Amino acid sequence: MKNICVGISGVGSYVPEKIVTNHDLSKIVETSNEWIIERTGIHERRIADDDMATSDIATKAAINALEDAKLRPEDIDLIIVATVTADHAFPSTACIIQKNIGAVKAAAFDISVGCSGFVYGLSIGENFIKSGTYDKVLVIGAETLSRVVDWQERNTCVLFGDGAGACVLEKCEEGFGILSIELGSDGSNGEVLVQPAGGSRLPASMDTVENRLHFIKMDGKEVFKFAVRVMERASTNALKKANLQLGDLDFLVPHQANMRIIDAAAKKLKLEKDRICVNLNKYGNMSSASIPVALDEAVKDNKINKGDNILLVAFGAGLTWASMTIKWSRRKDR
């Protein structure tokens, strides 16, 4: 039986126009530009307009990815949306996007894996194509984290931003595309990164609102320790599964959470800065959108060439982690 290889045929992204700088934040919470840069590496972030939902920015990223792949919406068989800031509890954000873009024959669903969600989505899409169930899958990571950030809490509000990125998965030539996948979770530590209220455990009430339980709560120190440890392990495991050495790696596209985390992972992986895709300084942590937006920018800047070995690695709420190696299957002139 012929081995089916699955690669990325199109990439696209969208970030809101509104920029909120560190100086802007220093006017609403006790912080400073220097304090934020020193601890995170973030200079500014994008914030969606009040009338913009996650599906709106995701739709824009999806259209851009379809155009890049030279496909029509009706060509898409499945839409997978990774998000923790869905428009509604139901219907899914993926179904709203399906309507928005006119992907009339596509099945659609959301996944909730925090910042690891986009790589999880790619792995699901690849398996649907390899099984012969679908031919063309649209995977989107999209967040409006500004809606769930407590703007009175400086340790979290400085970190997050809004944005969306998308990729189209299709069959590709043998030897190219997704080479390996590493997924994992540790639910025993889920409480270190959580939005406590709004679900069936703590439905919305006067008490949950007054106690600001609908916002992100994070134990930064524990998340940092987990992230540094798991990013190295997930990266090396994915490389091993693909029979690749560190020296074979052309680009690392990490989750954009904190520059200190990225630097620590790069040091352990012995990677030079020019081999790491970073846009954290411009956008902050966009959760599931971080990796696809960074990947899209790297492709548009002609940093990635056909045959390059790419490593995607993320960690997120759950706690979860995900990594993937890809031998890039597209030419620059696509």
Side-chain angles (χ1 to χ4, degrees), residues 20-319:
V20 174
T21 67
N22 294 343
H23 293 292
D24 294 329
L25 289 179
S26 69
K27 298 174 185 176
I28 61 174
V29 291
E30 187 180 345
T31 190
S32 68
N33 178 58
E34 294 74 22
W35 187 89
I36 298 171
I37 292 174
E38 179 185 349
R39 286 162 179 77
T40 71
I42 300 167
H43 293 243
E44 58 189 38
R45 68 286 297 144
R46 300 298 179 97
I47 303 297
D49 291 338
D50 291 343
D51 62 350
M52 241 183 181
T54 295
S55 65
D56 296 319
I57 62 176
T59 295
K60 293 177 183 292
I63 291 170
N64 290 336
L66 288 173
E67 290 178 352
D68 191 50
K70 296 179 171 56
L71 293 176
R72 302 169 301 169
E74 53 266 37
D75 295 326
I76 296 299
D77 301 304
L78 174 65
I79 300 171
I80 303 170
V81 176
T83 186
V84 294
T85 52
D87 288 25
H88 314 284
F90 56 89
S92 72
T93 301
C95 283
I96 298 170
I97 296 164
Q98 187 244 19
K99 175 201 71 172
N100 289 350
I101 67 176
V104 291
K105 73 172 188 177
F109 60 84
D110 293 355
I111 59 173
S112 177
V113 203
C115 306
S116 307
F118 181 73
V119 181
Y120 266 74
L122 290 179
S123 71
I124 296 168
E126 185 216 26
N127 277 286
F128 270 116
I129 295 172
K130 280 194 166 185
S131 71
T133 305
Y134 297 122
D135 291 321
K136 296 174 175 60
V137 177
L138 177 63
V139 181
I140 306 168
E143 306 287 2
T144 48
L145 292 166
S146 60
R147 305 296 195 267
V148 294
V149 162
D150 187 345
W151 293 101
Q152 297 179 18
E153 171 53 62
R154 74 165 185 171
N155 289 325
T156 52
C157 76
V158 302
L159 300 175
F160 299 102
D162 302 337
C167 288
V168 176
L169 292 177
E170 295 185 74
K171 294 175 185 175
C172 65
E173 62 184 291
E174 192 168 354
F176 288 82
I178 296 171
L179 303 178
S180 68
I181 300 165
E182 172 82 5
L183 306 178
S185 63
D186 178 10
S188 66
N189 280 323
E191 73 282 353
V192 303
L193 181 55
V194 62
Q195 183 187 358
S200 62
R201 177 67 63 188
L202 284 175
S205 66
M206 288 293 293
D207 182 64
T208 63
V209 172
E210 288 174 359
N211 287 288
R212 311 186 73 78
L213 298 179
H214 294 268
F215 298 123
I216 296 170
K217 307 296 181 184
M218 183 174 72
D219 184 333
K221 290 182 179 179
E222 287 302 314
V223 171
F224 182 91
K225 289 189 292 185
F226 166 78
V228 172
R229 182 176 69 253
V230 81
M231 284 184 73
E232 179 194 12
R233 187 175 70 210
S235 298
T236 54
N237 285 350
L239 289 169
K240 185 177 180 180
K241 287 181 179 180
N243 294 315
L244 295 174
Q245 304 296 320
L246 286 177
D248 299 323
L249 185 60
D250 293 295
F251 283 100
L252 171 68
V253 187
H255 170 49
Q256 313 283 312
N258 184 304
M259 201 62 223
R260 292 188 298 161
I261 294 173
I262 295 173
D263 286 342
K267 184 177 180 180
K268 293 196 174 195
L269 293 170
K270 300 178 181 178
L271 281 174
E272 299 86 3
K273 286 188 176 180
D274 61 356
R275 293 166 64 194
I276 306 171
C277 297
V278 176
N279 60 10
L280 173 71
N281 58 310
K282 297 187 295 181
Y283 306 127
N285 182 348
M286 296 184 291
S287 187
S288 64
S290 288
I291 284 178
V293 171
L295 181 63
D296 180 46
E297 291 189 340
V299 171
K300 296 297 190 296
D301 290 341
N302 291 318
K303 292 180 179 179
I304 297 177
N305 303 306
K306 183 175 181 180
D308 282 349
N309 291 316
I310 314 299
L311 173 65
L312 314 181
V313 61
F315 62 92
L319 294 167

